[in-house]
Structures are given as C-alpha cells and as structure tokens.
Amino acid sequence: MSRPGALLRTGHAGAGVVDRDARRRRQLAWTLALAALLLLLLGLMTGAQGLSLAAWHADWQAWRAADDGQAALILGQIRAPRTLGALATGALLGMAGAIAQGLLRNPLADPYLLGTASGAALGVVLVLAGGALAGQAISIANAAWLARIGIVGAAFAGALAGVALTLLLARGALHTLRLLLAGVVVGVALGAASDLVTTWVPDALRGKQAFLLGSTALLAWPAVALLGAGLALLLPPALRLARALDALTLGEDTAATLGLPLARVRLALVALLALATALAVSQAGLVAFVGLVAPHLVRRAAPSRHGYLIAASAAAGGVLLLASDLLARSLAAPQELPVGALTALLGGGYLLWLLHRRGLG
C-alpha cells in the first residue's frame, strides 16, 4: 500500500503539472493576442514600398501631401480589408487543420487532404477555360452565365464537391483509413482532370498558377465580411465537438463505448472542415502549410485538449498568415511575392527543422 505521504506528494506533483499547463496556455493566449494586434497595426502601415522606416517616412510624406480622401481610400479600401482578410483566412485554415488532425488522428493531416484543394483548383480551371473559350465556342448568354458564377464561387463549389466525392468513395466518414485513401485518390484524379483542361485550353494555365500560389492582394470588404461570418458561424460548433475529438484520441472503439455516435460526429466534423477550407481557398487561393503548422505550434507551446487547441490554432493560423502577408509585401518591394509560396517555404522549413531536431534527440 502507498503511504499517505507518498500520495500527498503525488497529488502535489499532479497539481503542479496542471498549474504549469494552465500557465502555458495563458501565456500562449496573450502572446497570440499581442502578436495579432501588432501585425494588424503593421499591416495598416505597410504599403507598396514594404516594411521599413524609410518606407513609412515616405508614406507619411505622401499622405501629408495628398488629400484626406485619397488617404482614406488607401487605408480603408486597400490595406484594412487585406489585413483583416488575411487574419480571417489564416484563422479558418488553422481551425480546419486542428479539426483534420484530430479527426484523422494524424499530426501530418492538413485541411486539403480530403479533396478540397484539387476540387477548388478544378473549379477555377473550368471557369477560366470557359471564359477563354467564350468568344470561340460558347454563346454570349453562356459566357455571361460563367462570368456571374465567378472564380470565387467555382473554387468554393469545387472544394465542397471534392469532399463530397471523397465521402462517396469512402462510403461515409466512419473509417479513418478509408477516408484518407479516398482523399488521396480524389486529389490525384481531380488534379489530373485539371491538368487535362489546361492542356486543352492553355490560356487557363496562368490563372490556375496564380490560384495555386495563393494571394491576399485582392481581398476586399465583401470578402472580409464572408470570411468573418464564416468564422463566427463555424467556430462555435467546432468547439462544441471538441470533446468528441478528445474521445477519438482514445480510439474509435473506446469512443463508441462512451456512447459517441461516431458516424454522425465524424460527418459533422468533415462538414466543418470542408466549409472552413472551401471558404478560405475561395477567397485567397491555396495557401499552403498554415493549416498544418498552426496546430503543431500550439501543441508544442501549450499541450491541451481539443477545445483550446482549435481556438488557439485559429488564432495562430491568423497570425501566421498575416505575418507571411507582411513578408510577401516587403521582401521584394515594390513587387509582391506569392503568399502561398512563402508560407510553403516557411512551413516546410519549420517541419524540416522539427524532424532534424527529433532525429538528433
């Protein structure tokens, strides 16, 4: 039998661990909040000349020389929506990444794994190809119909269609391995279809490349409103399903014995993942690695249950994409780098460093 003193010491040690984890979560929350505020301020201050004191001085002199209407136009219609839109897009991707990794029980899962990326790309390519052929083989009425649909709507619908095809091929969301394999198959098939369309209509290739690289340069207030509304609608149900993700970490059999309706819960999680990802990619293109890296950073900084992980991953994703957007505007100013290529480079470098560190350990 354990002596009372040993039990008391064990209890004190457990309480110390809990206090330490709670302190780390509070520190991470404050760090993310301060980083978001700082980056928002820098985003509003950063123009075509990038992020530097000289650029800010020149910007200030130009604003003093210009009238108030022009300054308000630059700040209110260009910089502010782009900055807030990048924050909301990253938040959606970070939340989707946390859901994907918990649902699939795989730390390498990302929001694009279930066919959203390939479906969105195919939708964009089809609209671009239809627009390129409008003057040759399509009537004026059909060309106008294509214009009304737009690239944004095509990307959103294509992403949801890719996930629906994955679910159809996997016969639902109940089996993790089947869902993963179906997502890979759908991604390859839709990617091949996209390549065939661009081979047939080469004029669509440039637009497809721009979509695949991702960009926050065209985000305007309507896009910010859609992204913000989507985040406000999708985050609460994701947090309510966080306990189901906690149960799934124990294994599907254990979760079923706890009374969890696996089929309905997993389908709801896939729906949240698909909607968040589709909304993000329809507005900013395929921004790589944000949904994969954000949950990793949160888990390393403050291990916790999925309720905190989802919320913190959303905040971390917003901070990551906003920081990448500032770098994309500044590194080669006055030219802009594709923000998706930059996030891929930074995210890939982080994962390589992580693998190297663990290999040395």
Side-chain angles (χ1 to χ4, degrees):
M1 294 179 61
S2 299
R3 289 181 293 180
L7 291 175
L8 185 60
R9 288 191 297 270
T10 303
H12 283 309
V17 172
V18 172
D19 291 341
R20 183 188 62 190
D21 290 343
R23 185 167 59 253
R24 292 173 67 180
R25 288 193 292 271
R26 287 194 299 269
Q27 290 174 349
L28 178 61
W30 278 109
T31 301
L32 290 174
L34 292 175
L37 289 174
L38 177 61
L39 291 171
L40 284 171
L41 180 61
L42 293 176
L44 295 176
M45 296 170 62
T46 303
Q49 299 303 316
L51 186 65
S52 67
L53 292 176
W56 290 340
H57 179 71
D59 198 12
W60 173 250
Q61 295 297 328
W63 279 31
R64 291 182 61 185
D67 58 7
D68 294 337
Q70 182 179 352
L73 177 66
I74 294 173
L75 184 62
Q77 299 300 323
I78 299 176
R79 296 185 187 178
R82 175 174 183 166
T83 301
L84 293 173
L87 185 67
T89 301
L92 284 168
L93 292 175
M95 180 187 72
I99 294 174
Q101 292 177 13
L103 173 66
L104 301 174
R105 290 183 290 163
N106 189 337
L108 294 179
D110 74 346
Y112 303 146
L113 196 58
L114 298 184
T116 50
S118 55
L122 179 59
V124 168
V125 166
L126 288 175
V127 170
L128 291 173
L133 294 174
Q136 303 175 16
I138 299 179
S139 66
I140 297 177
N142 288 333
W145 179 74
L146 285 172
R148 284 196 300 269
I149 291 179
I151 293 177
V152 171
F156 184 81
L160 294 183
V163 176
L165 187 58
T166 299
L167 290 173
L168 181 64
L169 187 61
R171 300 176 184 176
L174 186 59
H175 301 288
T176 301
L177 182 59
R178 186 183 297 172
L179 192 64
L180 280 170
L181 292 177
V184 172
V185 171
V186 168
V188 172
L190 296 184
S194 176
D195 292 338
L196 288 176
V197 173
T198 54
T199 302
W200 180 39
V201 186
D203 291 338
L205 185 60
R206 179 174 296 179
K208 175 188 175 182
Q209 184 180 11
F211 178 78
L212 292 178
L213 291 175
S215 175
T216 55
L218 300 179
L219 292 175
W221 284 119
V224 174
L226 284 174
L227 291 167
L231 184 62
L233 290 174
L234 296 175
L235 186 57
L239 295 176
R240 284 197 295 270
L241 290 174
R243 290 188 177 182
L245 290 174
D246 292 333
L248 286 174
T249 59
L250 303 176
E252 294 182 355
D253 295 335
T254 303
T257 59
L258 294 175
L260 188 68
L262 288 179
R264 292 201 303 270
V265 167
R266 292 174 67 89
L267 191 59
L269 289 169
V270 170
L272 290 173
L273 165 64
L275 287 170
T277 308
L279 185 56
V281 302
S282 67
Q283 301 297 331
L286 297 184
V287 179
F289 272 97
V290 171
L292 174 62
V293 172
H296 270 274
L297 293 175
V298 172
R299 278 194 295 265
R300 286 181 61 84
S304 60
R305 295 182 179 180
H306 280 89
Y308 180 88
L309 177 64
I310 290 174
S313 296
V319 168
L320 286 175
L321 186 53
L322 190 49
S324 300
D325 180 58
L326 288 174
L327 289 176
R329 285 192 263 173
S330 304
L331 290 179
Q335 295 182 349
E336 287 191 17
L337 300 176
V339 69
L342 191 59
T343 57
L345 182 63
L346 296 175
Y350 166 75
L351 292 180
L352 286 175
W353 170 81
L354 191 61
L355 288 174
H356 176 68
R357 183 176 179 181
R358 289 187 176 183
L360 291 178

